[in-house]
Amino acid sequence: MHLADADKIEGKKSGPAGLVLPNVGHKAHMYFNPEFIHFLVVTTSHKNQKPTLNAVELQGFLKSLFVSSAKGHAIIYLFKHEKGRFLGTIQDAEIFLCEGAASHRRLPSLPPHTETRSTIKVSADRFYFVTVRFLKTLFKWPLQKSSNLDAVPYCLVSTIVTGISHHRHKNEFITCGERVLLWDSSTKSPRFSYDWNTSGDGNEASVACVKFNPVETNLFASSDYANNLVLYDTRAKEVIKVKLTTRINALAWNPMEAFILTAASEDYNLYSFDIRRMDKNNRVINMHSGHTAAVMDLDYSPTGKEFCAGSYDKSIRIFRVEDGKSRDIYHTKRMFKVSSVLWSADNKYILSGSSDHNVRLWKARASEKMGKMKEREKASINYSEELKRKYGHFPEVRRIARNRHLPKHIYHSAKEHRIIKDSQSRKEGNRRAHSKKGAVPFVAARKKPIVGLEDHQ
Amino acid sequence: MTKTKVKLTPLKLDDDAIFLSSKSKSDDGDESPEEKDEDEDEDEGIDERSHAQLLSDLGKLSKRKKAARDVRVSLGGSSKKVDTSDILTRLGTKYMEQENKKLTTTTKPLEKHAALRAKRAAGLEKVTIEVNKWENLVYSRRRAEQLSFPVENADVRIMTSEKAQTTKPKTSLEKKVYELLKGANLEEKKETDEEKATKRAMSLMELKERNAEIWRQREMKRRYEEKSRLQNKSKSRKYHRILRKERLKKEKQELEMLEKTDPDAALERLNNIEHSRIHERMSLRHKRSKWAKQQGLRVRDTKDQTAKSALEENERMYHELTRKLKVNNKDGEEHDSEDEELLELLKDRQAAIDAGEYDPMNPWTKKVTKNDSGIEDNGDDKSFSRFKRFWEEVNKRKIVELEAQKFVEENERSKQSSFKLVKEKNVQIENKQDGTAKEIKENEDVDQIEEKESKEEKENEGGKSNSEESELDEVEERPTKKRKFNNEDNNENEQDKEFSIDSMFDDAEMELKKKVKRRLEKLGVDVNKPVEWNTIKRRKKNKQKKGPPNIQEFDFSSENMRDNLDEGLSRAKTMDDMENLQTAQGEGTISKNDTGNKKENIEDKLGKGEPKKKKIEVDPTKFIKVNAKSLRTAMPDNVTKGGEGLDDSEEELEEDPEDLIREAFEDDYLIDEFKSEKEAAINKNNVELSLALPGWGDWTGPNIKVSNRKLKRFKIRTPKAPPRKDASLGNVIYNEEADVHENLRKTMVSELPYPFKSVKDFEASIRAPVGRMFVPENAHRKLTAPPIVTKMGTVIDPIDEDQLLKKKLKKTLPQSEPQKSKKEMGKNEKGNNKGNQKGDKNKKRNNRGNQKGQKNRDKNKKRNNRGNQKGQKNRGKIVK
């Protein structure tokens, strides 16, 4: 498909989503007499109802931008530099580098890589980035605008490498795969090998994902195919290990809250952990559900208030950190299984890479008006946002606010899952009713996904 | 790393002994291995056997033992073989015992797994403590009302040596050090105040000079701009006029000068002017140019003043250019020609009159009718005639009013209040009015005829006086119809006059009525008793010549007339109705004789008309229904609005024992009744409306129904109503109209939303307004401030440890707080306004709710504060 054609098709929806909210921007007389205000106050809720409803209805506008269509036939992975400038896509054929979310300039593509996971990271000082090629070779690329990108074969690793995470400040990075290896970019051999990722039967389980903590930079976490979630400290080595019922596909640290770690699970949910309280009782501090297939990737917004998750159910969901249900769902007709998501560093866009070979750029808030605004317009938008917050609990407002068009498959599978869940809970209830008291205990939903802590008897 | 001490045990001592013995054989115990090798080479010949022994022993050595060996070697020793027992004896058993007492056996080192586990546990603890330092910041940011990104970095300032306070040496040592420093001239000399001042002064001078220069340049630029602006500016009309006048004056002067000096040139000039005049007259450039047309249209369409003035200007130009003509033509050719035209016109007209074809209203002979004074005069005539008519009317009214007043005055004088009299007077008024009107008309007619005659005479003469002409014209213009109308209807013009002077009569009537009413009130008669028109009508029919019993009858004002004449929309449709009507009429006549009250009439209709019907069809259910109704009400009888008939029936029922029995079995009927009632309630809303009109497309009339097809065709299709709420409830009729809360329910929150802890708080938050209609602008802005502020295209970095520093800085250095940015100021103010920000999450809302002087404001605040303090304490513990 030609890029231009694709643009036409995908860009159809992208009408101006500017909000011009009625009844809020007019100049009006003010009444400062408290008694009078008290009188008027009673009517405000009714007065505000219409603007509130309007505002809520207008938020339904969705704007997606189409970034690029990648040639080839592979999974696309996105990465960004910790400083936020660079975005890239990787697939089995090429690597694209784009600078900035808004400009998305395409840098010359790189020679083919055959990877299955996001195995590319930019260094802290932004002079190079590292990629893994053929699962065994690390490549170091100079990263300058004008220079020809000539890869420098960095070293051959003795184990299989499937992922990289780079330290925020130091020139250190971690690779995962067969083992978790800590590298120093000045040396050509791993500085340290972490080998706690053995599964129960003694066989080594390969590691799916590894992530450095951007705030408390000595910490990093990994998840492996034996359903473990492991926390490391580069000084004290391994720290804690939690075994879950299902595998964790991706991890993300909250960039504003050093101790919050969120995991995208294969069981369609996302789990937030507080690493300080990963004991028996407080394992999961929040469960974010909504997806109807395995969650493949997630990324925090730079404000740390929200995160987005891409799933095999061909949709992207945006969650508020404190909420269990998603704030919004993004999907298009043509988007296929989402393998990678990225929240832009200016908090305005979300990027998604999916197996339909496309990278899509979405607005992080669908109804947000981009571009310059006059003070008055800003004020009116702020006012309507406040009204939405204020009256968000009212059934009518909430109904409109939560109403989303869902693709058929998501709708039906969600329905099915609900039925399954209901039947399970019913069964449990029945069992509880027909057995000895206390024999079938109540287990909190937040405790269910976790098998237990390793090493802590 | 677990620390394990090496401790001496008997077993180990033995090892040492072995080792020592071998060592003593081999060498002197040098520290470096290389030296050791050399030594060995030297001793080769001395003792080969001992060397072999040494090698074998070395193989057994562990690192620990090596270290031990080094220590021991330093003790020194002979090359002789040492017996350990000797050493032990030398040391003494006592010493050994003492040593052994001090030492204890070490615990077995942990297994690898256990050790690792312990290590991890420790690591976790460490990590937790480390991460916990963020807690305060994280929670405060979570609670913050507004966060702006990217996060501002901590304010780290560098203090220069000048700014820093000079430390005074306190101790003697310090004093010495400072003296030394001074002596060594290591310190930089500080600038004295004078030096600084001179520096500053210099710079000030320079600054002033530079400023002056800049100002001068700016001023020059400004002046230049001003000048050019004025030059470019489009000048006023006045300016141009003056300019033109000056120019003309100049030209004139030049011309005069030329005439004197160079007559040929002057002539040429004059020719030029003449040429331009001719050109203008030929082209009519200023009269009919395209531009002028457009301007004309503009004036017409938009009433554009500028266009109008432009046109005027154009006109003036035209006249100016063509002025010369008027000066030349003094013969009056045009005048002659005009006169000729007029004469022709008059001739034509005369001819037409002679032939009998003359019709002033005929548009085809308008040319003939047109009089010599032209169109404008015509217009004047029209307005004049209108004016005249208006005054005639006014005069008429005045006359009528005068008459009416006269009568009223007479009335007052006589002070007689009989209705008859008044009516007679009224009739008289009418007659008189008619009479006056007649007179007026006749007078008019006479005038008109006279005028006509005079006009004809004047026509012959070709009259010129304007006033006469206008009069003449007025007569001509007046439609002949009116004259006819007047002549024909002279006999029966009562009605017409009534209509034409309706309003006048009304006024007079009102006046009269008021006065009569006043008079009657004086006499003590109630005027306000309403009288139905029907009764009056009937009265008129029955006994027309009898005196009217009620004052209301005098209301003949046009409106009331119309009202009275209009029949009600309700018609008697069935025979029953007709009967009722008749009976009502009959009763009305009777009742009129008795009371003459409308209300009673109606009651009679209801009370006595219905029982008649009921007597015909005897239905037990209906009978019971009435009974049930009376039983149901718990109210006393006098409260219920029941008529006499109802009361009567009740009394009868109570007396009748048979009805009591019926009552007992009434349920059967009631069920049917209820069913039909419910059906009626359901059908009430399912009204089918059709817009079909009878008589369109088919015949209509009595006994002809509109066809069903047609009804269906024009049926109004309404959306299907939602299922009724009583659809599934058998014995209930749900009055959906009475459900006022249907809409309210939509706006009701079923459960308390998350951040709120009490319903009261939530309600307060909802009640508190945020719109600028209700709160001051500043408050509105603060209340609607977005919780997150980000900048487009600005990278937001993950939070940095600087932020922790920032917090600490703020805490520790409150006095040396740096200059706040505006944003921060705003934030802090906001915080102050809204109370302590570190409260519960719903604090914001609470405060919003309580902003307008709520009573529980202080209470909440206190509570929150208390909570905060607790929270802070706890957090502090964790951190420390």
Side-chain angles (χ1 to χ4, degrees), chain B residues 106-166:
Chain B
T106 52
T107 50
K108 205 179 162 189
L110 284 169
E111 275 179 41
K112 197 189 168 190
H113 283 291
L116 279 174
R117 197 182 300 146
K119 202 180 138 193
R120 282 164 192 155
L124 180 64
E125 207 171 299
K126 212 175 156 190
V127 165
T128 311
I129 289 165
E130 203 177 317
V131 165
N132 253 337
K133 75 185 172 204
W134 293 98
E135 194 182 42
N136 267 340
L137 184 68
V138 165
Y139 288 146
S140 69
R141 285 181 73 84
R142 274 186 196 169
R143 275 194 305 273
E145 282 189 11
Q146 193 180 41
L147 292 175
S148 72
F149 294 95
V151 185
E152 283 168 45
N153 283 327
D155 179 43
V156 180
R157 287 158 296 161
I158 299 163
M159 297 285 268
T160 56
S161 60
E162 287 173 17
K163 281 178 187 173
Q165 286 178 340
T166 48

Side-chain angles (χ1 to χ4, degrees), chain B residues 746-791:
Chain B
K746 275 183 193 168
T747 60
M748 282 164 86
V749 181
S750 51
E751 56 188 37
L752 192 66
Y754 157 61
F756 296 97
K757 280 171 183 169
S758 73
V759 178
K760 208 174 164 189
D761 289 350
F762 178 61
E763 280 174 351
S765 90
I766 292 302
R767 216 183 300 125
V770 290
R772 54 153 64 90
M773 274 280 280
F774 311 104
V775 295
E777 182 68 26
N778 278 345
H780 166 73
R781 276 193 197 161
K782 277 172 191 170
L783 289 168
T784 57
I788 289 175
V789 181
T790 54
K791 261 185 189 173

Side-chain angles (χ1 to χ4, degrees), chain B residues 25-194:
Chain B
K25 277 173 206 166
S26 63
D27 56 24
D28 313 356
D30 291 317
E31 290 175 20
S32 63
E34 286 136 46
E35 280 177 46
K36 201 168 74 184
D37 286 347
E38 282 169 25
D39 290 344
E40 281 169 2
D41 290 335
E42 282 170 23
D43 297 337
E44 216 173 76
I46 299 164
D47 199 346
E48 276 189 24
R49 197 169 50 87
S50 63
H51 178 65
Q53 182 70 37
L54 171 73
L55 284 177
S56 63
D57 284 349
L58 275 174
K60 292 173 190 170
L61 281 176
S62 68
K63 274 180 188 175
R64 189 158 46 89
K65 283 164 188 170
K66 222 179 207 172
R69 179 200 67 180
D70 289 344
V71 174
R72 292 294 159 128
V73 165
S74 64
L75 292 170
S78 62
S79 58
K80 277 182 185 177
K81 194 182 175 182
V82 183
D83 193 10
T84 48
S85 59
D86 280 355
I87 297 165
L88 284 174
T89 49
R90 209 188 292 167
L91 283 167
T93 49
K94 206 179 178 185
Y95 171 77
M96 276 295 292
E97 277 167 11
Q98 279 173 354
E99 281 297 301
N100 282 346
K101 269 183 189 172
K102 280 182 189 172
L103 300 172
T104 51
T105 52
T106 52
T107 50
K108 205 179 162 189
L110 284 169
E111 275 179 41
K112 197 189 168 190
H113 283 291
L116 279 174
R117 197 182 300 146
K119 202 180 138 193
R120 282 164 192 155
L124 180 64
E125 207 171 299
K126 212 175 156 190
V127 165
T128 311
I129 289 165
E130 203 177 317
V131 165
N132 253 337
K133 75 185 172 204
W134 293 98
E135 194 182 42
N136 267 340
L137 184 68
V138 165
Y139 288 146
S140 69
R141 285 181 73 84
R142 274 186 196 169
R143 275 194 305 273
E145 282 189 11
Q146 193 180 41
L147 292 175
S148 72
F149 294 95
V151 185
E152 283 168 45
N153 283 327
D155 179 43
V156 180
R157 287 158 296 161
I158 299 163
M159 297 285 268
T160 56
S161 60
E162 287 173 17
K163 281 178 187 173
Q165 286 178 340
T166 48
T167 47
K168 285 173 184 173
K170 283 169 188 173
T171 58
S172 58
L173 182 70
E174 276 181 357
K175 274 175 194 169
K176 277 179 188 174
V177 168
Y178 272 101
E179 275 169 20
L180 277 172
L181 282 170
K182 271 180 189 172
N185 288 329
L186 284 172
E187 271 192 335
E188 279 183 33
K189 274 190 179 176
K190 284 178 185 174
E191 284 181 337
T192 58
D193 291 344
E194 284 174 22

Side-chain angles (χ1 to χ4, degrees), chain B residues 838-876:
Chain B
K838 287 167 187 171
D840 294 334
K841 211 182 174 188
N842 58 350
K843 184 72 209 304
K844 181 181 170 186
R845 288 159 208 274
N846 282 349
N847 280 328
R848 283 179 183 187
N850 298 330
Q851 227 193 15
K852 286 296 147 196
Q854 298 277 325
K855 278 181 188 173
N856 55 350
R857 182 186 186 177
D858 295 336
K859 225 194 250 174
N860 270 351
K861 211 173 178 180
K862 271 181 202 167
R863 199 192 304 145
N864 283 325
N865 282 341
R866 223 181 297 139
N868 295 337
Q869 282 162 7
K870 269 184 198 172
Q872 279 170 348
K873 269 180 200 170
N874 290 339
R875 260 169 254 138

Side-chain angles (χ1 to χ4, degrees), chain B residues 511-527:
Chain B
E511 287 258 336
L512 255 176
K513 254 165 55 179
K514 274 178 194 169
K515 278 168 187 169
V516 172
K517 198 175 159 187
R518 240 178 281 145
R519 197 63 35 73
L520 282 171
E521 270 169 8
K522 275 178 192 173
L523 291 167
V525 180
D526 193 3
V527 193

